[in-house]
Amino acid sequence: MPSGDGWQGEVLRDLRGGTQQGAQDSGVRADHASPTGPVPSAQSAQVPDAVHDSAPPRQTAAPHPGQEQRAVPQDSLSQQVDHQESKQQPTAPPSGQDPHGAPGSRPVVDEELAGAVRRKPQHGESFAARAARTLRRTLSSSAAREVDAVTRIAGVLQRPVTTGRQIAVTSIRGGSGKSTVSALLGTTFAHYRQDPVLVLEADPALGSLPLRLGARTHRWTTSDIADIVKPDMSLLDVTGYLVQLPDNAWLLPASRGQVGAMLDSRAYERAVVALRRYFGVMVIDCETLPAEVGRVALAAAHSRVLTTPATPEGITSTYAVLRWMQGLPRHVIAGTVVVLTALMPRPGIDLDEATGKLTSTGASVRVLPYDRHLAAGGRIRPELLAHPTRQAAARIAADVFHLSQKRH
């Protein structure tokens, strides 16, 4: 794994110079690109008892001219999520960019397949399980403990940052839930934080992240942004090239759903350097290891998530990778959270024993439980996730964010 400290140090020096220069202009960036301000402490005491429960809509920057105006409904979070299914119009290049050669907007799901993938989503857990949990909370004191735990997690997730945090999510085999975990982390950060959140796809191999996040169309990609975003652009300019998500979050896909899309490490570095100053948290859905872009993203990230299926094969290969990581600088494995994704209601392994064995390497380990809604694929609707899934997503997000603040 290459060391990303060299190019990252140069980036920080460039950013300091850009900041000094930006202080002399009209202050447009200060109005639109300040992701690092402190979060009012009163929010920690008012967090809901679930990660994605309904929350008051936030004020977001008005779209750039040429971008469709999106009015956020006031009723519920589910309406906020459903809103972005409205068809997006292609955005005009901001800041006077030359439109010649600009890519056309493409649907995430081909129109010929729309009927095949359309289905009624189901809840992550059965009605009986939800009723039983409600009864237990009514008859015991677990509700107070649960609220206290969520409040502590919210306190971690709402900590202010001085520079944007990069959280890389990767895996060592396909089908491990890498894009699913990336989507869950992105929506969790966006729910709790007030600064802008970006979910960036660094896996051009027909990744599923746009579909999981509910994007209808995509136009600009990570490699496109590498040559478009300039230091003098405001957040308002930049978001004109991104897919808007609920709760002050944005998505940048790695491809337009076409085979053969390319993203090299140099383009990835330029894109991250250009974007990191605008967002308090960046969740990066990387390529499966040992791809070059994935290695670069892991080296430069402030913390890492390694997803693996909760199967004998997944545990065996992940343990081997963690043993290899022990030979790298200490901060690499210490800043890594392994997420065991349960692919079936009753995994074929002893989760407690597997967790203990993987933890012995120095990495943190969390389990993402089986969820019928996640297992069915397609767009993730936060309101349909099982309660244990929402709790697990919040804990994973808090763990990786806490680790990200330990590395400067």
Side-chain angles (χ1 to χ4, degrees):
M1 180 180 296
S3 173
D5 294 337
W7 71 266
Q8 196 171 23
E10 296 176 1
V11 169
L12 292 176
R13 288 194 295 270
D14 293 341
L15 291 181
R16 293 191 187 101
T19 303
Q20 294 173 358
Q21 180 180 0
Q24 300 175 2
D25 58 29
S26 60
V28 173
R29 189 184 308 167
D31 292 335
H32 297 288
S34 178
T36 59
V39 179
S41 59
Q43 280 192 320
S44 298
Q46 300 176 358
V47 294
D49 63 348
V51 176
H52 297 288
D53 289 345
S54 298
R58 298 188 176 97
Q59 294 290 336
T60 57
H64 187 274
Q67 182 181 7
E68 182 185 6
Q69 176 69 42
R70 297 178 174 86
V72 180
Q74 303 290 326
D75 295 333
S76 65
L77 178 60
S78 61
Q79 288 179 330
Q80 288 181 342
V81 177
D82 290 338
H83 167 69
Q84 81 160 339
E85 289 192 345
S86 60
K87 189 173 182 179
Q88 300 175 1
Q89 297 297 327
T91 46
S95 297
Q97 296 286 340
D98 185 0
H100 297 292
S105 180
R106 294 176 58 90
V108 172
V109 178
D110 193 284
E111 295 180 358
E112 297 181 0
L113 297 176
V117 301
R118 186 180 296 115
R119 59 179 177 78
K120 182 180 180 180
Q122 63 178 340
H123 201 282
E125 56 185 342
S126 65
F127 176 79
R130 284 175 280 162
R133 185 182 64 254
T134 301
L135 182 61
R136 287 194 302 269
R137 293 180 62 189
T138 303
L139 300 178
S140 68
S141 59
S142 61
R145 292 195 300 270
E146 184 177 314
V147 171
D148 181 64
V150 173
T151 301
R152 290 197 303 270
I153 290 174
V156 174
L157 292 173
Q158 293 174 346
R159 289 174 185 168
V161 295
T162 54
T163 58
R165 302 288 91 182
Q166 299 176 45
I167 297 173
V169 184
T170 189
S171 64
I172 56 177
R173 59 175 62 240
S176 66
K178 174 174 64 69
S179 295
T180 297
V181 172
S182 298
L184 289 174
L185 290 178
T187 54
T188 300
F189 284 124
H191 178 75
Y192 280 111
R193 299 188 63 80
Q194 289 191 345
D195 47 13
V197 173
L198 175 65
V199 186
L200 184 149
E201 190 177 38
D203 184 0
L206 298 179
S208 60
L209 187 61
L211 182 60
R212 291 303 249 171
L213 286 171
R216 290 292 301 273
T217 61
H218 43 190
R219 183 179 184 185
W220 305 96
T221 67
T222 302
S223 57
D224 295 331
I225 291 297
D227 299 318
I228 291 177
V229 176
K230 306 300 180 184
D232 61 343
M233 294 174 67
S234 69
L235 175 63
L236 187 63
D237 292 327
V238 172
T239 55
Y241 291 99
L242 309 177
V243 179
Q244 188 172 4
L245 303 172
D247 289 336
N248 204 24
W250 283 267
L251 163 69
L252 179 59
S255 71
R256 285 180 287 273
Q258 296 172 309
V259 177
M262 297 297 294
L263 176 64
D264 57 36
S265 59
R266 292 181 179 272
Y268 169 80
E269 290 177 5
R270 294 200 309 274
V272 171
V273 169
L275 292 170
R276 60 176 296 178
R277 70 188 70 186
Y278 300 98
F279 299 93
V281 178
M282 293 175 60
V283 178
I284 304 167
D285 183 6
C286 301
E287 292 179 293
T288 299
L289 292 176
E292 179 186 8
V293 175
R295 297 199 307 269
V296 172
L298 290 178
H302 296 96
S303 61
R304 290 150 289 279
V305 175
L306 180 63
T307 63
T308 183
T311 61
E313 297 85 354
I315 297 299
T316 301
S317 55
T318 300
Y319 184 68
V321 169
L322 293 177
R323 291 288 301 273
W324 170 76
M325 291 174 65
Q326 288 179 316
L328 301 175
R330 173 64 184 169
H331 70 83
V332 176
I333 195 167
T336 299
V337 176
V338 177
V339 177
L340 300 178
T341 57
L343 305 180
M344 57 189 66
R346 295 178 178 82
I349 62 171
D350 186 325
L351 287 177
D352 292 336
E353 184 175 350
T355 298
K357 193 65 175 178
L358 297 178
T359 303
S360 67
T361 63
S364 302
V365 181
R366 288 288 185 182
V367 176
L368 183 66
Y370 175 78
D371 186 292
R372 297 189 309 178
H373 180 64
L374 293 180
R379 177 163 70 96
I380 297 175
R381 297 175 182 264
E383 72 278 8
L384 294 181
L385 292 173
H387 185 68
T389 304
R390 293 197 296 266
Q391 288 182 315
R395 294 191 186 101
I396 296 169
D399 285 350
V400 295
F401 186 69
H402 174 70
L403 293 175
S404 75
Q405 292 188 308
K406 291 185 176 182
R407 187 182 179 195
H408 301 288

